[in-house]
Amino acid sequence: MQEFKQLHQRTTPFIIGNVWDAASACCAQQAGYQALGTSSAAIASLLGYEDGEHIPFAELVFMVRRIAAVSKLPLSVDIEAGFSRNPEVIAHHIQQLAALGVVGINLEDSRVDADRTLVPAEEFAAIVSAVKAILQQHQTEVFLNVRCDAFLLGSVHACAETVKRAQIYQRAGADGLFVPCLTQADDIKAVVAASTLPVNVMAMPDLPCFEVLAGLGVKRISSGNFAHDAMHRHLLNQLVEMKQSGSCKSLFGASTVG
């Protein structure tokens, strides 16, 4: 927990290796990443579920157990909205993961019913506060990275809403703030300045380079499910090429002899 927390206090942001199974965790470790974070969307896709808590929590626990078994890197797990509306159940879910060695949790302030919508800020903050209190009571230490989805959902005043929520979530006991789809420099500056929480951004086509993000005060960079999606696009292209060419050579690269 302390090692993972310290990664969020450096002058340059750290890149968390977003993974979805044991094999991807091994790849991230071999590539030199200092910590791993699961992608809920990627794990759901891997198991044939839609994103948005459609995967049974027990199956998520199984996948986390396998990831933890192959890597000793600090591991953070995305539990979406907690797989419950009850803080006691959410805290119990976190305790199950902590027992596997998980040191961080992503908890988002939107829910998927018919559509994905933001939970009212004070209502979500009350959940965060209650979950933190239960975890402290049971001496369960995890880094609670609260995800604010105002930008992801395209809210009209996304920056102002995120600034407001950052301050509310800090008071509720959040350890970090994750803002997917936050990409513009002025917005990043405003969100970083809104609280003392380390700010986590996510890969997007127009996200500034890491050097610029460091200058803006970003502390953590995620790739979400995009590496998983890119891998499957590559797989599809390979399978199509092999079928159309009538040869397996494309699987082995241009340098293959024979």
Side-chain angles (χ1 to χ4, degrees):
M1 164 63 176
Q2 291 307 314
E3 178 186 350
F4 187 64
K5 191 172 184 178
Q6 287 169 6
L7 288 173
H8 295 77
Q9 304 303 325
R10 305 188 312 181
T11 55
T12 57
F14 83 96
I15 310 163
I16 195 164
N18 283 120
V19 300
W20 50 90
D21 60 9
S24 58
C26 288
C27 286
Q29 183 164 292
Q30 291 170 17
Y33 285 77
Q34 295 175 285
L36 304 178
T38 65
S39 163
S40 62
I43 290 178
S45 175
L46 180 72
L47 297 177
Y49 295 102
E50 293 293 324
D51 192 23
E53 297 186 340
H54 292 287
I55 176 176
F57 186 73
E59 294 188 30
L60 174 61
V61 171
F62 171 80
M63 296 302 294
V64 171
R65 182 178 290 112
R66 297 312 310 149
I67 292 169
V70 301
S71 174
K72 297 304 180 185
L73 292 176
L75 174 61
S76 181
V77 173
D78 182 347
I79 61 167
E80 304 190 59
F83 287 81
S84 177
R85 306 298 181 254
N86 184 331
E88 291 188 4
V89 176
I90 296 172
H92 178 63
H93 287 160
I94 295 172
Q95 287 175 282
Q96 287 181 259
L97 296 170
L100 300 177
V102 170
V103 298
I105 292 293
N106 276 12
L107 187 67
E108 59 200 39
D109 67 357
S110 66
R111 292 176 184 155
V112 180
D113 294 311
D115 298 299
R116 182 179 289 276
T117 57
L118 281 174
V119 178
E122 295 292 352
E123 178 184 337
F124 182 73
I127 292 172
V128 171
S129 182
V131 167
K132 288 285 287 192
I134 295 167
L135 293 177
Q136 288 170 358
Q137 180 183 351
H138 291 275
Q139 298 182 323
T140 302
E141 287 192 89
V142 295
F143 185 97
L144 185 55
N145 199 37
V146 171
R147 191 179 101 175
C148 177
D149 282 349
F151 280 93
L152 183 146
L153 291 172
S155 300
V156 177
H157 303 292
C159 188
E161 184 66 23
T162 303
V163 164
K164 179 188 78 173
R165 287 174 179 252
Q167 296 165 349
I168 293 172
Y169 298 163
Q170 179 173 348
R171 291 195 295 269
D175 297 300
L177 180 71
F178 178 28
V179 191
C181 302
L182 173 66
T183 60
Q184 299 303 306
D186 287 345
D187 292 337
I188 295 172
K189 283 181 184 177
V191 171
V192 167
S195 75
T196 61
L197 297 176
V199 172
N200 177 184
V201 298
M202 184 178 74
M204 294 296 291
D206 53 349
L207 186 73
C209 70
F210 299 162
E211 183 179 357
V212 170
L213 291 174
L216 295 171
V218 169
K219 297 298 184 182
R220 173 170 156 182
I221 301 168
S222 304
S223 58
N225 62 316
F226 295 117
H228 175 265
D229 290 349
M231 184 187 73
H232 280 274
R233 286 195 301 271
H234 178 73
L235 173 62
L236 176 60
N237 291 337
Q238 288 286 346
L239 293 174
V240 169
E241 184 174 350
M242 183 172 68
K243 184 172 181 289
Q244 292 180 344
S245 68
S247 169
C248 297
K249 289 184 178 180
S250 63
L251 295 178
F252 303 98
S255 63
T256 301
V257 178

